[in-house]
Amino acid sequence: MRSRYAAFVLGLADYLRATWHDSTRPETLSLEDSPDWTLLQILNSDQTGDTGSVHFRAIYRVGSGWGFLEENSRFVREQGRWYYLQGETSEGQLKPGRNDPCPCGSGRKYKACCL
Ligand SMILES: [Zn+2]
């Protein structure tokens, strides 16, 4: 999962297609309109046998504010490799609290960083 996120950040569309299950994989994949990702938060993950799920939130910059993409992704394991199946996504505007971790990914508190 983390490697897929890294691929999004780096714009590695070929890698994303290679780890996408062939039953749900898009014909073409363009990352040119991707936002400027800053932070990945794994909210929950679960595995039962050869199926797994990851609930994550990815944060990006929008002008002087922040947006987020949240997804509950489902994965399946075939011949020892994990493939992305599909996910339910939601997007919105992020309103970080003063004491929250800064959405820029610095590891500092928001009030001591980008606020
Ligand atoms: Zn910051």
Side-chain angles (χ1 to χ4, degrees), residues 22-72:
D22 54 17
S23 67
T24 55
R25 184 169 51 213
E27 278 299 309
T28 58
L29 182 64
S30 171
L31 299 178
E32 275 164 30
D33 297 330
S34 288
D36 186 10
W37 304 110
T38 56
L39 185 65
L40 174 70
Q41 298 173 317
I42 305 290
L43 305 176
N44 196 17
S45 66
D46 194 36
Q47 186 192 335
T48 310
D50 287 332
T51 60
S53 65
V54 178
H55 185 192
F56 71 92
R57 177 188 276 175
I59 293 166
Y60 55 92
R61 255 183 227 280
V62 213
S64 59
W66 307 91
F68 71 87
L69 170 79
E70 209 169 295
E71 181 171 317
N72 220 327

Side-chain angles (χ1 to χ4, degrees), residues 61 66 102-106 108-110 113-115:
R61 255 183 227 280
W66 307 91
C102 192
C104 77
S106 66
R108 298 163 66 195
K109 285 185 178 179
Y110 184 48
C113 191
C114 295
L115 182 64

